Amino acid sequence: MEQIYLAGGCLWGVQEFIKYVPGVISTEAGRANGTSRITQNDNTPNTYDGYAECVQIDFDPSITSVTILMKHLFEIIDPYSVNKQGIDVGEKYRTGIYSLSDGHLAEAKRYIASRDDADRIALEILPLIHYVASDDIHQNHLSQFPEDHHLCHIPWDLLHKYKSQ
């Protein structure tokens, strides 16, 4: 099992989509690469300090790869947008790939470099510095509260594209 963190706007949609992709073992909604070591239950107003909403992904490298996971991420994001996905605007909605593995980061950079539109792609590809799991209400949120889908930029059919596989 290997682990990577993908940011693609609102974490609810990213988690709902990616958890069904073949080779994904488990997911957890969270925040990556802020500047402080905030805790899961820190609900103090105005504590945002640079974190990106993301999904921690445990995956089986015999079934999928960083490149394949990135191709899936590109199905649900606008890779040219900076700090905005759909109706969600702000630094916390930036797109990115984060990992503790230099190999994962190198593979992600190779994938971007291989694309014809590489010079326009606005994804961060950075080492994971900090990660904080989101509160329980945010875990698998769209599975628990499908009526909140109107807050997600990803069409419902696309969210479940891999669900039956």
Side-chain angles (χ1 to χ4, degrees), residues 2 6 13 16 40-41 48 70-71 76 86 101 105 110 119 121 133 139 144 153 165:
E2 296 184 20
L6 300 181
E16 185 68 18
Q40 178 177 355
N41 295 316
Y48 177 74
M70 289 184 65
K71 289 177 181 179
I76 59 171
S101 165
L105 299 174
R110 280 192 303 274
D119 60 329
I121 294 175
Q139 301 302 329
Q144 296 179 65
H153 71 280
Q165 294 184 0

Side-chain angles (χ1 to χ4, degrees), residues 13-144:
V14 175
Q15 184 178 36
E16 185 68 18
F17 173 80
I18 207 76
K19 72 183 181 181
Y20 299 115
V21 167
V24 171
I25 298 166
S26 65
T27 62
E28 180 178 69
R31 298 168 283 173
N33 283 9
T35 57
S36 69
R37 293 189 179 274
I38 59 177
T39 63
Q40 178 177 355
N41 295 316
D42 182 3
N43 293 319
T44 308
N46 301 319
T47 58
Y48 177 74
D49 63 351
Y51 280 86
E53 289 197 7
C54 73
V55 177
Q56 174 186 289
I57 300 163
D58 294 328
F59 67 95
D60 181 341
S62 72
I63 299 172
T64 193
S65 66
V66 171
T67 298
I68 292 169
L69 290 171
M70 289 184 65
K71 289 177 181 179
H72 287 303
L73 179 66
F74 275 53
E75 289 183 75
I76 59 171
I77 64 167
D78 173 354
Y80 314 124
S81 183
V82 176
N83 299 334
K84 181 181 186 308
Q85 290 296 314
I87 60 171
D88 297 315
V89 178
E91 186 181 5
K92 71 180 184 174
Y93 299 115
R94 67 189 182 268
T95 54
I97 292 96
Y98 312 101
S99 181
L100 296 172
S101 165
D102 291 339
H104 289 170
L105 299 174
E107 185 176 346
K109 289 176 183 176
R110 280 192 303 274
Y111 172 72
I112 298 293
S114 73
R115 292 177 53 107
D116 292 338
D117 58 352
D119 60 329
R120 297 176 45 215
I121 294 175
L123 269 73
E124 294 183 324
I125 301 174
L126 296 171
L128 181 72
I129 299 169
H130 298 130
Y131 171 77
V132 180
S134 291
D135 293 333
D136 289 344
I137 191 71
H138 297 292
Q139 301 302 329
N140 298 296
H141 187 88
L142 292 178
S143 290
Q144 296 179 65

